[in-house]
């Protein structure tokens, strides 16, 4: 180790190289970030040069500060290490943590932090440098982590050399910026922190050379390791991990690089959507966010109560459609971000009723967790605990809500977490499991005063009823803040009219007329203004004044005007058919999928521009994002399904469903074929399947999944024409005989086999309604047995529809005989399965040990199974899908039973407890531990319960009757 000093002649020189037992004099040490080409290096010091480099100022600063602290010597990495000597460089890097640790003083020189001079009139008292301090590059570099943690005394200095504070006085800010534990900053030995925790401190830090990301951690883990520049980051981390494992006694099988890859895979599986992208899309769709349209809420007393009071943990923003709730939340998110520290987290989600990916409670939790993990990567450990066992299926199977709820609560209880703000927009557009989501929000808002929620919705009684249970909530009603909302809308109108005037080259007269009309009729509704401006864009400038008043005030009146415009256009019939189709489909469809459902568009799948133009004719009811068609707002769909029902459904909604069924069946009959994705290998796993380009299922994917649903909802019993399809030689009969196996393959490729099982049950139910007692009926029953029996094999490997499914079906199975040509010819001796389907409808796989008890719910929709693997599984009796996996018993589970109303499920275990579960949520509500041990002569052969009276019939011939009194929890 060499040190620096200035001679009496004010020349910078190096001391001798202290080695071995040489006594090193007290010294100061510098921590800084490098500027390319401007640092004074070892060669400069030896040659007496470098004074013209900007880095020389740091040397002078270090010298002067060391003198103030009574120190003659100081050390600076750029000057004191001969980097041309590989041995010396290696020794220096391995010793650097110790060198910083042994320094009397460490000076952190922040070249990007300045102390601005104040004017005498300046009344503000906050630190002018703190914002720059929090954003300093020094906190992002890999090497500075050990330079922060190793020394006893660390002082932070501005570019002017002014002391900002030290590691103690700035502890709160440093913790918030870096996320490093307070105890670590106070000098607690680093070995007392887990490997994972120490690695999390380095997450996101950067080094110039890739390998240095690993090498800069040597001191943090007390490791000595040779340097091999050129080996790459992964190899450097692998070697570091082996060293760590040896020093901690941990197994060597998992490297740091491997852990990072597995973390990344877990995050990829978790991600359903990135709410940040959704927010950006929403803002762009609405023409950008305007500060003056939301800033009023920051001064609102209800918002300030939520923000400032610890006990106010839930803010509910409610208002009528089109009042700007979504953009208000976008603005709140932006403002909260500005005041957040690195240690504080914020996560948000935007629900949308017309998009099945983001209109359900499960999607909300996935989105919120995804953003939290992205901001604080160490939180992925809570997800990994379950993901390591289940893989991607964790986020896809029927247990996903239970699993995600548990993960989310564990994250919120993580001791490393500071304050967390959680935001959900448009609760009323959460179509699936909204009660579960509301219950979850209420429960988690009471976990900690550090967890705060903001939710928004329309004025919905069911939401209000649920949120009334939360004692710590604040309600912000837009209808009660009309003055603020009106001012925001007026600003929005001025902005949009200015844009219009520039784009359409309006005269001042036209611009003022449009401004006046919108201001007079907006009724504090952003959406109304946006829709009118969208329509004005399509009107020639010279017609604007004449046409302006055809846009009536009020959303519903405007929607009526839009329908009148459509009805008088040349394309009225086509537009109404498109609107009717979009109104009844079960999820938003793509432009390509629309061409399969509307006959006039059947040849336009490759002409997306024309399709966009046609959607534009639909009176601004629809919008397109990423080639997917949505309603411009939920209120637009509601209007069509109520006010204009007879206009777009002149023959009733059932007729539209029938058209969509017929078009869907035609599309998949033409499209589906064996090995449509050219996988070739029968064993090809579904996890490795990706959509080819072009995708042969792009046009028919929706049709493939939902054709039976439209058949079911068209009520075929009500029309003789509809029944024709459900008889021998009908359209469905022909499809099953010619395309059924190809359809099963396609369902697997669409990840919708469970949906297919439910669909076949619906088809059988529809067939039973017609009551033909024909060959077609038998074919449908056989096809249903086929998909139920072979679901698992085809779901995991699509081409097993032509191998395992055919080989292991009965000889007289209709499907096996119809698709004999698809039989695997390379199997000469096929197993003897029998002639007909057995009594077994389905085999439910999932338990890892003996199943000792099963019970159907009294409505026969669910089946519970108890196993020696210590878990209870609840299955959907129609699809065979596992809905919940109930974990909690510490020994094998011997018995299960549903309550009479099927709302509760009881499980008895050899751990001497009975657990009572909420059958709708899969959560344990009671654990009963005070159980009665029965002597052999009283052990039941049968039993009966009436109220609180239990009768037990025993093997000795006795009947034992007793009463119990249970305390209500």
């Amino acid at each position: 180790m060499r040190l620096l000093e200035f001679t009496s002649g004010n020349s910078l020189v190096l001391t001798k190289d202290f080695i071995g037992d040489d006594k090193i004099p007290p010294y100061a040490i510098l921590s800084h970030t490098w500027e390319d080409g401007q640092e004074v290096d070892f060669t400069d010091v030896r040659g007496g040069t470098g004074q013209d480099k900007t880095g020389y100022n740091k040397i002078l600063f270090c010298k002067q500060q060391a003198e103030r602290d009574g120190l003659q010597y100081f050390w600076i990495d750029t000057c004191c290490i001969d980097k041309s000597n590989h041995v010396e460089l290696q020794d220096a890097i391995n010793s650097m943590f110790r060198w910083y640790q042994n320094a009397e003083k460490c000076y952190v020189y922040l070249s990007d932090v300045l102390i601005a001079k104040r004017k005498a009139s300046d009344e503000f008292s906050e630190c002018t440098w703190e914002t720059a301090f929090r954003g300093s590059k020094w906190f992002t570099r890999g090497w500075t982590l050990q330079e922060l943690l190793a020394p006893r005394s660390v002082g932070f200095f501005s570019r002017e050399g002014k002391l900002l504070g030290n590691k103690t006085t700035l502890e709160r800010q440093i913790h918030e910026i870096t996320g490093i534990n307070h105890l670590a900053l106070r000098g607690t030995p680093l070995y007392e922190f887990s490997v994972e925790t120490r690695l999390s401190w380095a997450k996101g830090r950067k080094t110039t050379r890739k390998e240095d990301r690993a090498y800069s951690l040597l001191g943090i883990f007390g490791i000595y390791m040779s340097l091999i520049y050129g080996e790459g980051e992964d190899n450097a981390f692998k070697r570091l991990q082996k060293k760590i494992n040896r020093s901690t006694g941990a197994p060597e099988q998992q490297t740091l690089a491997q852990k990072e890859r597995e973390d990344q895979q877990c995050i990829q599986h978790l991600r359903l959507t990135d709410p940040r992208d959704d927010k950006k899309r929403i803002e762009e769709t609405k023409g950008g966010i305007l500060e003056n349209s939301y800033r009023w809420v920051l001064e609102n007393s209800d918002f300030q109560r939520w923000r400032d009071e610890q006990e106010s943990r839930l803010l509910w923003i409610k208002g009528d459609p089109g009042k700007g709730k979504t953009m208000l939340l976008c603005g709140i998110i932006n403002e909260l971000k500005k005041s957040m520290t690195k240690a504080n987290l914020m996560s948000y989600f935007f629900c949308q009723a017309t998009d099945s990916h983001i209109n359900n409670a499960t999607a909300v939790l996935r989105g919120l967790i995804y953003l939290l993990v992205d901001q604080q990567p160490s939180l992925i450990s809570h997800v990994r605990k379950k993901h390591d066992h289940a893989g991607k299926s964790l986020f896809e199977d029927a247990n996903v809500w239970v699993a995600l709820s548990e993960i989310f609560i564990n994250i919120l209880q993580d001791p490393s977490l500071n304050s967390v703000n959680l935001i959900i927009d448009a609760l009323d557009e959460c179509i699936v499991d909204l009660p579960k989501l509301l219950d979850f929000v209420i429960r988690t808002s009471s976990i900690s005063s550090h967890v705060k929620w903001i939710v928004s919705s329309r004025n919905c009684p069911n939401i209000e009823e649920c949120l009334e249970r939360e004692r710590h909530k604040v309600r912000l009603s837009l209808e009660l803040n009309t003055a603020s909302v009106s001012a925001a809308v007026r600003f929005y109108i001025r902005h949009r009219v200015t844009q219009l005037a520039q784009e359409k080259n309006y005269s001042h007269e036209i611009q003022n007329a449009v401004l006046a009309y919108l201001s007079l009729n907006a009724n504090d509704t952003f959406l109304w203004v946006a829709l009118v401006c969208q329509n004005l864009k399509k009107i020639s400038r010279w017609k604007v004044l004449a046409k302006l008043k055809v846009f009536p005030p009020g959303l519903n009146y405007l929607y009526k005007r839009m329908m009148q415009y459509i009805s008088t256009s040349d394309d009225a019939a086509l537009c109404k058919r498109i609107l009717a189709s979009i109104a009844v489909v079960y999820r938003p469809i793509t432009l390509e999928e629309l061409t399969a459902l509307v006959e006039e568009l059947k040849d336009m799948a490759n002409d997306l521009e024309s399709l966009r133009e046609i959607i534009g004719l639909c009176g601004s009811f629809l919008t397109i994002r990423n080639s997917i068609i949505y309603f411009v707002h939920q209120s637009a769909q509601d209007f069509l399904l109520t006010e204009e029902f007879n206009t777009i459904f002149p023959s009733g909604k059932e007729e539209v469903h029938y058209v969509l069924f017929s078009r869907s069946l035609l599309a998949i009959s033409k499209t589906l074929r064996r090995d449509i994705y050219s996988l070739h290998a029968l064993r090809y796993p579904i996890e490795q399947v990706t959509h080819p380009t072009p995708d042969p299922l792009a046009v028919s994917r929706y049709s493939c999944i939902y054709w039976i649903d439209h058949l079911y909802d068209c009520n075929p019993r009500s029309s003789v024409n509809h029944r024709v399809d459900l008889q021998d030689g009908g359209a469905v009969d022909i499809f099953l005989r010619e395309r059924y196996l190809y359809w099963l393959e396609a369902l697997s490729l669409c990840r919708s086999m469970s949906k297919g099982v439910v669909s076949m049950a619906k088809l059988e139910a529809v067939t039973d309604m017609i009551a033909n007692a024909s060959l077609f009926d038998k074919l449908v029953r056989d096809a249903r047995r086929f998909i139920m029996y072979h679901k698992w094999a085809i779901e995991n490997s699509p081409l097993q529809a032509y191998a395992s499914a055919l080989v292991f079906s009965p000889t007289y199975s209709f499907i096996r005989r119809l698709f004999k040509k698809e039989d695997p010819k390379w199997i000469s001796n096929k197993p003897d399965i029998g002639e007909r389907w057995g009594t077994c409808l389905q085999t439910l796989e999932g338990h890892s040990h003996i199943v000792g008890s099963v019970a159907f719910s009294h409505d026969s929709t669910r089946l519970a199974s108890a196993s020696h693997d210590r878990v209870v599984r609840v299955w959907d009796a129609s699809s065979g899908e596992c809905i919940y996996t109930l974990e909690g018993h510490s020994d094998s589970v011997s018995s299960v039973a549903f309550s009479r109303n099927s709302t509760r499920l009881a499980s008895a275990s050899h751990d001497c407890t009975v657990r009572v579960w909420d059958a709708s949520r899969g959560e344990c509500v009671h654990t009963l531990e005070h159980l009665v041990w029965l002597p052999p002569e009283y052990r039941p052969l049968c039993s009966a319960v009436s109220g609180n009276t239990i009768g037990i019939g025993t093997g000795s011939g006795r009947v034992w009757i007793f009463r119990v009194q249970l305390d209500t929890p």
Side-chain angles (χ1 to χ4, degrees):
M1 181 186 194
R2 303 181 188 87
L3 297 174
L4 291 166
E5 65 173 328
F6 274 85
T7 65
S8 56
N10 213 27
S11 298
L12 179 67
V13 296
L14 287 162
T15 66
K16 72 165 190 167
D17 194 358
F18 297 100
I19 58 175
D21 295 330
D22 289 346
K23 186 176 180 181
I24 302 174
Y27 62 92
I29 199 164
L30 184 71
S31 176
H32 63 117
T33 56
W34 296 6
E35 184 180 350
D36 286 346
Q38 292 299 317
E39 299 301 332
V40 179
D41 59 23
F42 180 80
T43 306
D44 289 326
V45 177
R46 279 285 170 91
T49 60
Q51 291 87 344
D52 58 335
K53 294 182 177 180
T54 57
Y56 197 78
N57 293 328
K58 287 185 276 190
I59 297 175
L60 293 176
F61 154 75
C62 199
K63 172 214 175 208
Q64 293 162 2
Q65 190 59 42
E67 287 175 348
R68 292 189 194 103
D69 291 325
L71 297 170
Q72 178 181 351
Y73 300 99
F74 54 97
W75 185 92
I76 301 176
D77 54 359
T78 52
C79 306
C80 296
I81 303 171
D82 182 2
K83 296 183 178 65
S84 65
N85 185 330
H86 179 74
V87 174
E88 179 176 332
L89 176 63
Q90 178 163 284
D91 185 57
I93 287 179
N94 278 280
S95 305
M96 205 170 294
F97 186 90
R98 178 166 45 84
W99 291 349
Y100 274 89
Q101 196 172 42
N102 293 338
E104 295 294 319
K105 299 281 184 179
C106 176
Y107 308 137
V108 177
Y109 182 82
L110 303 175
S111 58
D112 51 359
V113 178
L114 293 166
I115 298 181
K117 291 185 178 179
R118 299 176 181 275
K119 295 179 181 178
S121 60
D122 196 346
E123 297 178 358
F124 292 102
S125 60
E126 74 269 12
C127 299
T128 55
W129 51 264
E130 186 166 336
T131 302
F133 178 77
R134 289 177 178 275
S136 175
K137 180 183 176 183
W138 188 86
F139 289 107
T140 69
R141 304 306 295 173
W143 291 105
T144 58
L145 176 61
Q146 67 176 4
E147 295 164 15
L148 171 65
L149 296 175
R152 296 185 302 275
S153 171
V154 180
F156 292 86
F157 295 83
S158 70
R159 185 170 181 174
E160 304 97 332
K162 301 295 184 182
L163 179 65
L164 306 175
N166 57 45
K167 193 160 61 169
T168 301
T169 61
L170 295 172
E171 180 182 308
R172 177 180 60 83
Q173 291 92 330
I174 296 169
H175 165 70
E176 291 172 352
I177 296 166
T178 64
I180 296 173
N181 191 289
H182 288 283
L183 293 175
L185 294 172
R186 293 170 190 169
T188 299
L190 297 185
Y191 60 76
E192 294 190 13
F193 300 93
S194 69
V195 171
E196 188 175 75
T197 298
R198 283 179 276 176
L199 286 173
S200 72
W201 299 338
K203 198 84 172 179
R205 289 177 177 261
K206 298 175 182 177
T207 56
T208 303
R209 303 182 77 164
K210 296 290 186 183
E211 296 87 352
D212 281 342
R213 279 203 65 218
Y215 302 159
S216 63
L217 297 175
L218 297 180
I220 301 295
F221 291 100
I223 299 295
Y224 182 92
M225 190 171 86
S226 59
L227 311 184
I228 310 174
Y229 283 109
E231 67 175 324
E233 183 178 341
D234 280 0
N235 288 328
F237 267 111
K238 284 178 184 176
R239 293 196 299 120
L240 176 62
Q241 180 68 63
K242 287 181 180 179
K243 293 277 189 179
I244 293 172
N245 289 339
R246 286 184 190 133
S247 67
T248 60
E252 295 187 16
Q253 55 201 23
Q254 188 183 45
T255 65
L256 289 173
Q258 180 184 348
K259 181 185 180 301
E260 284 197 358
R261 284 194 297 271
E262 291 177 354
D263 283 352
Q264 196 58 40
Q265 184 182 54
C266 179
I267 292 170
Q268 287 171 356
H269 290 168
L270 168 66
R271 183 190 182 280
L272 183 67
T273 182
D274 188 333
R276 291 166 298 197
D277 293 339
D278 291 330
K279 177 176 178 288
K280 185 178 179 182
R281 166 179 54 80
I282 289 167
E283 290 173 354
E284 289 176 351
T285 301
K286 294 179 182 290
I289 188 166
L290 305 173
E291 283 196 14
N292 286 354
S293 66
Y294 71 76
R295 288 196 64 84
W296 66 267
V297 77
L298 306 179
E299 307 301 323
N300 180 272
S301 59
D302 293 325
F303 176 81
Q304 290 177 344
R305 262 180 65 204
W306 170 85
R307 184 189 61 196
D308 300 333
E309 297 177 6
Q310 273 200 339
E311 62 272 16
S312 299
R313 301 174 193 168
L314 173 62
L315 174 64
W316 176 31
I317 299 175
K318 65 191 191 94
D320 290 335
K323 294 293 184 180
K325 297 182 293 295
T326 297
M327 294 305 277
L328 189 63
L329 259 63
C330 287
I332 289 173
I333 290 168
N334 291 349
E335 294 300 322
L336 290 176
K337 271 184 183 176
K338 293 177 185 177
S339 60
M340 274 175 54
T341 66
K342 186 173 180 180
N344 297 338
L345 302 182
M346 176 170 59
S347 189
Y348 49 85
F349 193 87
F350 296 87
C351 297
Q352 189 166 336
T354 53
D355 187 341
S356 59
H357 287 98
I358 53 176
N359 71 354
N360 58 86
T362 297
V364 174
L365 290 199
R366 287 178 70 172
L368 293 175
I369 293 172
Y370 174 77
L371 277 193
L372 290 174
V373 168
D374 188 72
Q375 294 168 80
Q376 187 166 321
S378 63
L379 297 175
I380 192 64
S381 61
H382 298 289
V383 188
R384 286 283 305 272
K385 286 174 186 175
K386 289 187 177 290
H387 182 267
D388 287 352
H389 293 288
K392 190 177 182 180
S393 64
L394 171 67
F395 308 113
E396 296 174 344
D397 68 20
N399 299 316
V400 61
W401 173 260
V402 176
L404 289 175
S405 302
E406 183 181 330
I407 289 168
F408 204 115
I409 290 172
N410 290 339
I411 286 175
L412 296 183
Q413 293 175 334
D414 190 296
S416 70
L417 227 57
N418 282 5
S419 67
V420 184
N421 292 324
L422 302 166
I423 301 171
I424 305 176
D425 177 54
L427 280 174
D428 52 288
E429 298 197 37
C430 178
I431 305 302
V432 181
D433 292 332
L434 175 60
K436 284 184 181 179
L437 181 59
L438 289 169
D439 179 64
F440 183 80
V441 170
I442 292 168
R443 282 190 295 129
T444 51
S445 64
S446 62
I447 283 180
S448 165
S449 59
H450 297 304
V451 178
K452 291 198 169 194
W453 288 88
I454 301 179
V455 297
S456 74
S457 76
R458 299 190 200 181
N459 294 300
C460 298
N462 61 322
I463 294 177
E464 180 143 14
E465 183 181 342
C466 288
L467 294 182
E468 277 301 317
R469 307 199 318 261
E470 171 52 42
R471 294 181 293 110
H472 302 293
K473 78 169 177 305
V474 179
R475 183 191 284 108
L476 195 164
S477 172
L478 298 185
E479 281 70 34
L480 297 180
N481 289 273
T482 51
S484 298
V485 175
S486 293
V489 172
R490 286 196 299 273
F491 178 83
Y492 180 69
I493 290 171
R494 288 196 297 273
H495 173 75
R496 291 302 301 267
V497 171
T498 301
Q499 279 187 329
L500 262 179
Q502 290 173 349
E503 290 177 25
K504 305 286 289 185
N505 199 21
Y506 286 170
S507 65
H508 287 299
E509 179 191 1
I510 296 175
Q511 182 173 344
N512 291 335
V514 173
L515 182 65
Y517 186 80
L518 296 185
S519 300
L520 182 65
N521 296 285
N523 193 27
D524 300 342
T525 305
F526 288 91
L527 179 60
W528 184 88
V529 176
L531 289 171
V532 172
C533 289
Q534 191 173 327
N535 279 275
L536 286 173
K537 272 188 180 181
K538 304 173 187 176
I539 297 174
S540 300
R541 183 175 66 247
W542 61 275
K543 289 183 178 180
V544 168
L545 292 179
K547 292 282 187 180
L548 190 58
K549 294 186 180 179
V550 303
F551 301 111
L555 269 181
N556 269 17
Y557 292 113
L558 179 58
Y559 287 148
K560 282 184 180 294
R561 166 61 194 148
M562 286 158 55
M563 276 307 301
Q564 290 169 5
Y565 172 79
I566 290 172
S567 298
T568 57
S569 71
D570 294 338
D571 302 293
L574 174 59
C575 289
K576 289 177 184 178
R577 267 193 287 278
I578 291 173
L579 289 174
S581 299
I582 302 300
V584 301
V585 290
Y586 304 107
R587 65 154 171 83
I589 58 175
T590 65
L591 290 167
E592 292 167 300
E593 289 169 336
L594 180 66
T595 63
L597 303 179
V598 178
E599 186 172 5
E600 293 92 329
L601 308 178
K602 62 184 178 183
D603 298 322
M604 299 181 65
N606 296 320
D607 188 359
L608 297 186
E609 284 307 310
S610 295
L611 287 170
R612 292 176 189 277
E613 185 180 335
I614 291 169
I615 296 299
L617 299 175
C618 294
S620 300
F621 280 106
L622 304 177
T623 186
I624 302 169
R625 293 191 296 275
N626 298 323
S627 296
I628 300 174
I629 307 166
Y630 302 93
F631 277 103
V632 69
H633 194 267
Q634 184 61 35
S635 60
Q637 183 179 23
D638 295 342
F639 171 81
L640 293 177
L641 291 174
T642 53
E643 303 294 325
E644 294 294 326
F645 184 89
N646 293 330
T647 303
I648 65 169
F649 301 116
S651 301
K653 198 192 267 191
E654 287 85 359
E655 187 61 30
V656 174
H657 278 296
Y658 179 74
V659 171
L660 295 183
F661 149 69
S662 299
R663 296 292 309 166
S664 294
L665 191 61
L666 179 63
I668 58 179
S669 295
K670 288 181 176 180
T671 304
L672 301 186
R673 62 180 187 275
R674 176 169 175 156
D675 197 7
I676 195 168
Y677 274 10
S678 301
L679 305 179
H680 304 304
L682 293 173
R683 66 182 182 277
Y684 204 102
I686 189 65
E687 296 85 11
Q688 296 179 19
V689 175
T690 56
H691 295 172
T693 304
D695 186 352
L697 289 176
V699 172
S700 57
R701 179 170 280 104
Y702 176 86
S703 299
C704 187
I705 299 170
Y706 294 104
W707 68 276
I708 292 178
D709 295 273
H710 288 296
L711 171 63
Y712 188 85
D713 287 337
C714 79
N715 192 11
R717 288 185 302 174
S718 63
S719 169
V720 175
N721 291 334
H722 296 179
R723 288 185 213 167
V724 173
D725 295 299
L726 296 171
Q727 61 187 19
D728 293 346
V732 178
D733 182 52
I734 294 171
F735 176 78
L736 294 180
R737 290 174 179 276
E738 296 180 358
R739 293 283 185 273
Y740 184 67
L741 282 195
Y742 311 149
W743 178 55
L744 297 189
E745 177 197 335
L747 282 176
S748 177
L749 294 171
C750 295
R751 275 72 169 178
S752 299
M753 279 299 290
S754 294
K755 180 71 177 67
V757 173
V758 174
S759 295
M760 284 307 300
K762 281 187 173 183
L763 182 58
E764 185 174 354
V766 170
T767 306
D768 290 342
M769 293 176 192
I770 307 299
N772 282 332
S774 62
L775 281 174
F776 173 67
D777 299 345
K778 296 175 182 177
L779 174 61
V780 170
R781 288 188 179 86
D782 184 77
R784 185 188 176 202
R785 293 296 298 273
F786 192 93
I787 189 173
M788 290 174 70
Y789 196 80
H790 300 297
K791 169 183 174 286
W792 190 89
I794 302 172
E795 188 171 46
N796 287 280
S797 296
L799 299 187
Q800 286 299 317
Y802 313 105
S804 172
L806 288 176
V807 170
F808 292 99
S809 291
T811 310
Y812 287 172
S813 161
F814 278 88
I815 299 301
R816 177 170 176 171
R817 287 188 291 170
L818 286 167
F819 290 89
K820 188 173 179 60
K821 64 181 183 298
E822 304 290 357
D823 254 352
K825 304 299 185 290
W826 44 273
I827 301 180
S828 54
N829 293 322
K830 296 181 174 62
D832 184 9
I833 305 303
E835 295 181 349
R836 306 189 184 284
W837 293 104
T839 53
C840 177
L841 294 175
Q842 271 184 294
T843 301
L844 308 180
E845 299 183 49
H847 284 296
S848 59
H849 212 299
I850 296 168
V851 176
S853 175
V854 294
F856 272 100
S857 62
H858 291 278
D859 57 8
S860 298
T861 60
R862 282 165 293 172
L863 175 71
S865 58
S867 169
H868 287 204
D869 62 8
R870 304 179 185 181
V871 301
V872 174
R873 289 182 179 265
V874 182
W875 311 82
D876 183 303
S878 60
S879 69
E881 185 140 11
C882 183
I883 305 172
Y884 300 119
T885 300
L886 311 180
E887 299 177 287
H889 285 296
S890 59
D891 206 336
S892 57
V893 187
S894 56
S895 182
V896 284
F898 279 96
S899 62
R900 179 63 58 183
N901 60 6
S902 299
T903 61
R904 292 288 188 268
L905 174 68
S907 59
S909 168
H910 287 215
D911 62 8
C912 298
T913 66
V914 170
R915 288 181 176 260
V916 181
W917 310 83
D918 183 312
S920 63
R921 295 188 316 209
E923 297 176 356
C924 182
V925 291
H926 304 305
T927 300
L928 310 178
E929 299 180 353
H930 304 293
L931 305 179
V932 178
W933 181 85
L934 298 176
E937 63 270 23
Y938 285 101
R939 291 176 187 167
L941 291 177
C942 59
S943 62
V945 180
S946 176
N948 65 341
T949 302
I950 302 175
I952 291 179
T954 68
S956 64
R958 297 176 181 177
V959 176
W960 182 30
I961 299 177
F962 64 101
R963 290 184 175 85
V964 296
Q965 185 65 47
L966 295 176
D967 293 331
T968 303

